[in-house]
Amino acid sequence: MVVRLKGLLPSFWPGVAALMLMVALGSAPARGDAVPGMVAAPDRHLSFDPSPVTVRFVYEDGTRDLLIPRKYIVFASGEFSSRDGPIPDLIETKSVKLVLTYPDGEAWTVAIREYMGEHGVSAHRAADEMRDRMHIVQLRPTNNFIDLGVARNDFRIRDLEGSIGEFGLKEFEISRGNQQFFLGSEDDEFLRIVCYNPKNPGWFCKYDARLTQNIVFSADFVDLRIFGGREFANNRMRMIKRTLCTFTESC
């Protein structure tokens, strides 16, 4: 049987897009959930549910909780498989991975669904066309204060001289020139950035930062060297921090 969608009224598309997304991404339970733009795996979670999950980090002096809408969470370290159902309402974990979207910090899953509905495209195509808006953010607890001194002591660069490059950042060539390391300053929203060489608009760089005294995060998104340099990186990191700070009272 062939289902023809042509001619549907625009008002029907959000519901159709949600159905298409769930069918396309949820039809292979043996592989686990497939989040658009990410590899399908049992430890991936696909959700549009805005209800909060209590994410509990364990520290030397006790625990601290974040309240994160379930729709953002695509991974949590530990035994949390999508084959067993959605992320539980309370999880104790060593790291949690979220995906959010520029410019307003909306959950990636919701933004993809809306894009599919607006443009009438598949989840795969929507993820491709929205790749420059995708931010994969991993939050982790830390018992130590992470600052620029710690970043400068990174084993990859501590014995290297470095130089000031075109973006006004101190740069280092690492991994035999296969990667470029950028060290932030007190005026930047990030501590360090690592990008692959050669430059590729489809590849993500990794941007590391401190959110609070006890929480650090890394964000994977498109390459500052291609998409706008230092201010681009700071603008995206500010957006990420604004979003993350709605999940904790520690900011």
Side-chain angles (χ1 to χ4, degrees):
M1 180 180 69
V2 178
V3 178
R4 300 187 182 277
L5 301 179
K6 185 177 179 180
L8 283 180
L9 294 175
S11 60
F12 282 92
W13 268 112
V16 171
L19 178 61
M20 290 169 62
L21 186 58
M22 294 304 292
V23 169
L25 304 182
S27 59
R31 295 186 304 154
D33 280 359
V35 177
M38 303 180 75
V39 176
D43 60 5
R44 297 284 189 268
H45 292 267
L46 172 72
S47 178
F48 312 110
D49 185 356
S51 64
V53 172
T54 300
V55 176
R56 180 160 295 163
F57 287 156
V58 179
Y59 295 85
E60 293 172 352
D61 61 353
T63 62
R64 293 174 178 83
D65 293 345
L66 299 90
L67 288 177
I68 304 177
R70 186 174 277 100
K71 62 183 179 178
Y72 282 96
I73 302 173
V74 299
F75 168 84
S77 63
E79 301 298 321
F80 302 110
S81 172
S82 56
R83 296 173 182 172
D84 300 325
I87 289 281
D89 292 340
L90 169 64
I91 57 173
E92 188 174 291
T93 182
K94 294 181 180 179
S95 70
V96 63
K97 190 172 290 186
L98 322 175
V99 189
L100 50 94
T101 314
Y102 185 82
D104 56 4
E106 177 59 278
W108 173 251
T109 56
V110 173
I112 283 284
R113 183 180 63 180
E114 292 174 351
Y115 190 93
M116 289 172 63
E118 181 179 351
H119 299 279
V121 297
S122 67
H124 178 76
R125 181 172 172 183
D128 281 349
E129 294 180 0
M130 294 178 64
R131 187 165 176 80
D132 64 334
R133 307 183 214 174
M134 183 185 198
H135 303 76
I136 304 171
V137 179
Q138 186 168 20
L139 284 161
R140 302 180 303 277
T142 179
N143 290 296
N144 303 307
F145 184 73
I146 307 298
D147 59 10
L148 284 171
V150 173
R152 180 63 183 88
N153 198 43
D154 188 297
F155 74 95
R156 294 169 290 184
I157 66 165
R158 61 189 173 204
D159 297 324
L160 302 178
E161 184 65 29
S163 61
I164 301 298
E166 62 176 307
F167 306 117
L169 295 165
K170 198 155 192 180
E171 302 176 6
F172 305 82
E173 296 295 323
I174 61 174
S175 300
R176 298 181 179 180
N178 292 322
Q179 292 179 315
Q180 193 167 16
F181 186 114
F182 298 91
L183 188 66
S185 73
E186 294 291 346
D187 296 326
D188 292 308
E189 301 291 341
F190 52 86
L191 297 172
R192 60 193 170 204
I193 304 170
V194 177
C195 299
Y196 287 101
N197 288 325
K199 302 172 187 176
N200 185 312
W203 294 350
F204 285 174
C205 297
K206 186 173 291 293
Y207 303 73
D208 292 317
R210 182 182 64 247
L211 182 65
T212 71
Q213 186 87 1
N214 303 105
I215 300 173
V216 293
F217 71 92
S218 61
D220 291 65
F221 56 90
V222 289
D223 196 327
L224 79 158
R225 299 172 299 177
I226 299 173
F227 287 88
R230 186 176 189 170
E231 183 49 38
F232 166 84
N234 280 309
N235 182 46
R236 293 298 179 98
M237 293 297 277
R238 280 191 289 269
M239 182 273 295
I240 292 170
K241 288 183 178 180
R242 282 196 303 271
T243 305
L244 297 181
C245 281
T246 64
F247 307 149
T248 175
E249 297 179 353
S250 300
C251 288

